[in-house]
Coordinates of all heavy atoms in Angstrom, one line a residue:
R1328 N -19.3 42.0 -69.6 CA -20.1 40.9 -69.2 C -20.4 40.0 -70.5 O -20.3 38.8 -70.5 CB -21.4 41.3 -68.5 CG -22.4 40.1 -68.2 CD -23.8 40.7 -68.0 NE -24.3 41.4 -69.2 CZ -25.3 42.2 -69.2 NH1 -25.9 42.6 -68.1 NH2 -25.7 42.7 -70.4
D1329 N -20.8 40.7 -71.5 CA -21.3 40.0 -72.7 C -20.1 39.4 -73.5 O -20.2 38.3 -74.0 CB -22.0 40.9 -73.7 CG -23.4 41.4 -73.0 OD1 -23.8 40.7 -72.0 OD2 -24.0 42.3 -73.6
F1330 N -18.9 40.1 -73.4 CA -17.8 39.5 -74.1 C -17.3 38.4 -73.3 O -16.9 37.4 -73.9 CB -16.6 40.6 -74.1 CG -15.3 40.1 -74.7 CD1 -15.1 39.7 -75.9 CD2 -14.2 40.1 -73.8 CE1 -14.0 39.1 -76.4 CE2 -13.0 39.6 -74.3 CZ -12.9 39.2 -75.6
L1331 N -17.4 38.4 -72.0 CA -17.0 37.3 -71.1 C -17.8 36.0 -71.4 O -17.4 34.9 -71.6 CB -17.0 37.7 -69.7 CG -16.8 36.6 -68.6 CD1 -15.5 35.9 -68.8 CD2 -17.0 37.1 -67.3
K1332 N -19.2 36.2 -71.4 CA -20.0 35.1 -71.4 C -20.2 34.4 -72.9 O -20.4 33.3 -73.0 CB -21.4 35.4 -70.8 CG -22.3 36.3 -71.6 CD -23.7 36.3 -70.9 CE -24.6 37.2 -71.7 NZ -25.9 37.3 -71.0
N1333 N -20.1 35.3 -73.8 CA -20.3 34.9 -75.2 C -19.1 34.5 -76.0 O -19.2 33.7 -77.0 CB -21.1 36.0 -76.0 CG -22.5 36.2 -75.5 OD1 -23.1 35.3 -74.9 ND2 -22.9 37.4 -75.4
Y1334 N -17.9 35.0 -75.5 CA -16.7 34.9 -76.3 C -15.5 34.4 -75.5 O -15.0 33.2 -75.6 CB -16.4 36.1 -77.2 CG -17.4 36.6 -78.1 CD1 -18.4 37.5 -77.7 CD2 -17.4 36.0 -79.4 CE1 -19.4 37.9 -78.6 CE2 -18.4 36.4 -80.2 CZ -19.4 37.3 -79.9 OH -20.4 37.6 -80.8
L1335 N -15.0 35.2 -74.6 CA -13.8 34.8 -73.9 C -14.0 33.6 -72.9 O -13.2 32.7 -72.9 CB -13.3 36.0 -73.1 CG -12.0 35.8 -72.2 CD1 -10.9 35.5 -73.2 CD2 -11.7 37.0 -71.4
G1336 N -15.1 33.6 -72.1 CA -15.4 32.5 -71.3 C -15.4 31.2 -71.9 O -14.7 30.2 -71.6
P1337 N -16.2 31.0 -73.1 CA -16.3 29.7 -73.8 C -15.0 29.3 -74.4 O -14.6 28.2 -74.4 CB -17.4 30.0 -74.8 CG -18.2 31.0 -74.2 CD -17.3 31.9 -73.4
Q1338 N -14.3 30.3 -75.0 CA -13.0 30.0 -75.6 C -11.9 29.4 -74.6 O -11.4 28.5 -74.9 CB -12.4 31.4 -76.2 CG -11.1 31.1 -77.0 CD -11.2 30.6 -78.3 OE1 -12.0 31.2 -79.1 NE2 -10.6 29.5 -78.6
L1339 N -11.8 30.1 -73.4 CA -10.8 29.6 -72.4 C -11.4 28.3 -71.8 O -10.5 27.5 -71.4 CB -10.6 30.7 -71.4 CG -9.8 31.9 -72.1 CD1 -9.4 32.8 -70.9 CD2 -8.7 31.6 -72.9
A1340 N -12.7 28.2 -71.6 CA -13.1 26.9 -71.0 C -12.8 25.7 -71.9 O -12.5 24.6 -71.4 CB -14.7 27.0 -70.9
R1341 N -12.7 25.9 -73.3 CA -12.3 24.9 -74.1 C -10.7 24.7 -74.1 O -10.2 23.6 -74.2 CB -12.7 25.3 -75.6 CG -14.2 25.2 -75.8 CD -14.5 25.2 -77.4 NE -14.1 26.5 -78.0 CZ -14.8 27.6 -78.0 NH1 -16.1 27.5 -77.5 NH2 -14.3 28.7 -78.6
D1342 N -10.0 25.7 -74.2 CA -8.6 25.8 -74.4 C -7.7 25.7 -73.2 O -6.6 25.0 -73.1 CB -8.2 26.9 -75.4 CG -8.9 27.0 -76.7 OD1 -9.4 25.9 -77.1 OD2 -8.7 28.1 -77.3
H1343 N -8.2 26.5 -72.2 CA -7.4 26.7 -71.0 C -8.3 26.7 -69.8 O -8.5 27.7 -69.1 CB -6.5 27.9 -71.0 CG -5.5 27.9 -72.2 ND1 -4.3 27.3 -72.1 CD2 -5.6 28.5 -73.4 CE1 -3.7 27.4 -73.2 NE2 -4.4 28.2 -74.0
P1344 N -9.0 25.6 -69.5 CA -10.0 25.6 -68.4 C -9.5 25.8 -67.0 O -10.3 26.3 -66.2 CB -10.6 24.1 -68.5 CG -9.5 23.3 -69.2 CD -8.8 24.2 -70.1
N1345 N -8.3 25.7 -66.8 CA -7.7 25.9 -65.4 C -7.2 27.4 -65.1 O -6.8 27.7 -64.1 CB -6.6 25.0 -65.2 CG -7.0 23.5 -65.1 OD1 -8.1 23.3 -64.7 ND2 -6.2 22.6 -65.7
V1346 N -7.3 28.2 -66.2 CA -6.9 29.6 -66.0 C -7.9 30.4 -65.3 O -9.1 30.3 -65.6 CB -6.5 30.2 -67.4 CG1 -6.3 31.7 -67.3 CG2 -5.3 29.5 -67.9
T1347 N -7.5 31.1 -64.3 CA -8.4 32.0 -63.5 C -8.7 33.4 -64.2 O -7.8 34.1 -64.4 CB -7.8 32.2 -62.1 OG1 -7.7 31.0 -61.5 CG2 -8.6 33.1 -61.3
I1348 N -10.0 33.6 -64.4 CA -10.4 34.9 -65.1 C -10.9 35.9 -64.0 O -11.6 35.5 -63.1 CB -11.5 34.7 -66.1 CG1 -11.0 33.7 -67.2 CG2 -11.9 36.0 -66.7 CD1 -12.1 33.3 -68.3
M1349 N -10.4 37.1 -64.1 CA -10.9 38.1 -63.2 C -11.5 39.2 -64.0 O -11.0 39.6 -65.1 CB -9.7 38.7 -62.4 CG -9.1 37.7 -61.3 SD -7.6 38.3 -60.7 CE -6.3 37.7 -61.9
I1350 N -12.6 39.8 -63.5 CA -13.2 40.9 -64.2 C -12.7 42.3 -63.6 O -11.8 42.3 -62.7 CB -14.7 40.9 -63.8 CG1 -15.0 41.2 -62.4 CG2 -15.3 39.6 -64.3 CD1 -16.5 41.4 -62.0
Y1351 N -13.1 43.3 -64.3 CA -12.8 44.8 -63.9 C -11.4 45.2 -64.0 O -11.0 45.7 -65.1 CB -13.4 45.0 -62.5 CG -13.6 46.4 -62.1 CD1 -14.0 47.4 -63.1 CD2 -13.2 46.9 -60.8 CE1 -14.1 48.7 -62.7 CE2 -13.3 48.3 -60.5 CZ -13.8 49.2 -61.4 OH -13.9 50.5 -61.1
D1352 N -10.6 45.1 -63.1 CA -9.2 45.6 -63.1 C -9.1 47.1 -63.2 O -8.4 47.7 -64.0 CB -8.4 44.9 -64.3 CG -6.9 44.7 -64.0 OD1 -6.5 45.0 -62.8 OD2 -6.2 44.4 -65.0
H1353 N -9.9 47.8 -62.3 CA -9.8 49.2 -62.3 C -10.1 49.7 -60.8 O -10.0 48.9 -59.9 CB -10.9 49.8 -63.3 CG -10.6 51.2 -63.8 ND1 -11.2 51.6 -64.9 CD2 -9.6 52.1 -63.4 CE1 -10.7 52.9 -65.2 NE2 -9.8 53.1 -64.2
N1354 N -10.4 51.0 -60.6 CA -10.4 51.6 -59.3 C -11.5 51.1 -58.4 O -12.6 50.7 -59.0 CB -10.4 53.1 -59.5 CG -9.1 53.6 -60.1 OD1 -8.0 53.1 -59.9 ND2 -9.2 54.7 -60.8
K1355 N -11.4 51.3 -57.1 CA -12.3 50.8 -56.1 C -13.5 51.6 -56.2 O -14.5 51.2 -55.5 CB -11.6 50.8 -54.8 CG -10.6 49.7 -54.6 CD -9.9 49.8 -53.3 CE -8.7 50.6 -53.2 NZ -7.9 50.5 -52.0
D1356 N -13.6 52.8 -56.8 CA -14.7 53.7 -56.7 C -16.0 53.0 -57.4 O -17.1 53.1 -56.9 CB -14.5 55.0 -57.3 CG -13.9 55.0 -58.6 OD1 -13.6 53.9 -59.2 OD2 -13.8 56.1 -59.3
H1357 N -15.8 52.2 -58.4 CA -16.9 51.7 -59.1 C -16.9 50.1 -59.1 O -17.6 49.5 -59.9 CB -16.8 52.1 -60.7 CG -17.0 53.5 -60.8 ND1 -16.6 54.2 -61.9 CD2 -17.5 54.5 -60.0 CE1 -16.8 55.5 -61.9 NE2 -17.4 55.7 -60.7
V1358 N -16.2 49.5 -58.1 CA -16.1 48.0 -58.1 C -17.5 47.4 -57.8 O -17.8 46.4 -58.4 CB -15.1 47.6 -57.1 CG1 -15.4 48.0 -55.7 CG2 -14.8 46.1 -57.2
V1359 N -18.3 48.1 -57.0 CA -19.5 47.5 -56.6 C -20.5 47.3 -57.9 O -21.1 46.3 -58.1 CB -20.3 48.3 -55.6 CG1 -21.6 47.8 -55.3 CG2 -19.4 48.3 -54.3
N1360 N -20.5 48.4 -58.7 CA -21.3 48.3 -59.9 C -20.8 47.3 -60.9 O -21.8 46.5 -61.4 CB -21.2 49.7 -60.6 CG -22.1 49.7 -61.9 OD1 -23.2 49.2 -62.0 ND2 -21.6 50.4 -62.9
W1361 N -19.6 47.1 -61.0 CA -19.1 46.0 -62.0 C -19.4 44.6 -61.4 O -19.8 43.8 -62.1 CB -17.6 46.3 -62.2 CG -17.3 47.3 -63.2 CD1 -17.4 48.6 -63.0 CD2 -16.9 47.2 -64.5 NE1 -17.2 49.4 -64.1 CE2 -16.8 48.4 -65.1 CE3 -16.6 46.0 -65.3 CZ2 -16.4 48.7 -66.5 CZ3 -16.1 46.3 -66.6 CH2 -16.1 47.6 -67.2
V1362 N -19.1 44.4 -60.1 CA -19.4 43.1 -59.5 C -20.9 42.8 -59.6 O -21.2 41.7 -59.9 CB -18.9 43.1 -58.1 CG1 -19.5 42.0 -57.2 CG2 -17.4 43.1 -58.0
S1363 N -21.7 43.7 -59.2 CA -23.1 43.5 -59.2 C -23.7 43.3 -60.7 O -24.6 42.4 -60.8 CB -23.9 44.6 -58.6 OG -23.8 45.9 -59.2
T1364 N -23.1 44.0 -61.6 CA -23.6 43.7 -63.1 C -23.2 42.4 -63.7 O -24.0 41.7 -64.2 CB -23.0 45.0 -63.9 OG1 -23.6 46.2 -63.3 CG2 -23.6 44.7 -65.4
I1365 N -21.9 42.1 -63.5 CA -21.4 41.0 -64.2 C -21.7 39.6 -63.4 O -22.2 38.6 -64.0 CB -19.8 41.1 -64.4 CG1 -19.6 42.2 -65.3 CG2 -19.2 39.7 -64.9 CD1 -18.1 42.5 -65.5
F1366 N -21.6 39.7 -62.1 CA -21.8 38.4 -61.4 C -23.3 38.2 -61.1 O -23.6 37.0 -60.7 CB -21.0 38.4 -60.1 CG -19.5 38.3 -60.3 CD1 -18.6 38.9 -59.4 CD2 -19.0 37.6 -61.3 CE1 -17.3 38.8 -59.5 CE2 -17.6 37.5 -61.5 CZ -16.8 38.1 -60.6
A1367 N -24.1 39.1 -61.4 CA -25.6 38.8 -61.3 C -26.1 37.9 -62.5 O -27.1 37.3 -62.4 CB -26.3 40.1 -61.3

Side-chain angles (χ1 to χ4, degrees):
R1328 176 199 63 199
D1329 292 347
F1330 175 64
L1331 171 63
K1332 75 176 180 179
N1333 296 324
Y1334 297 95
L1335 182 61
Q1338 182 78 54
L1339 295 189
R1341 288 192 299 270
D1342 300 345
H1343 298 280
N1345 295 322
V1346 169
T1347 297
I1348 300 176
M1349 291 170 276
I1350 66 165
Y1351 193 42
D1352 208 11
H1353 207 167
N1354 294 330
K1355 287 178 271 188
D1356 54 352
H1357 297 157
V1358 63
V1359 174
N1360 182 35
W1361 282 71
V1362 164
S1363 60
T1364 299
I1365 296 176
F1366 291 148

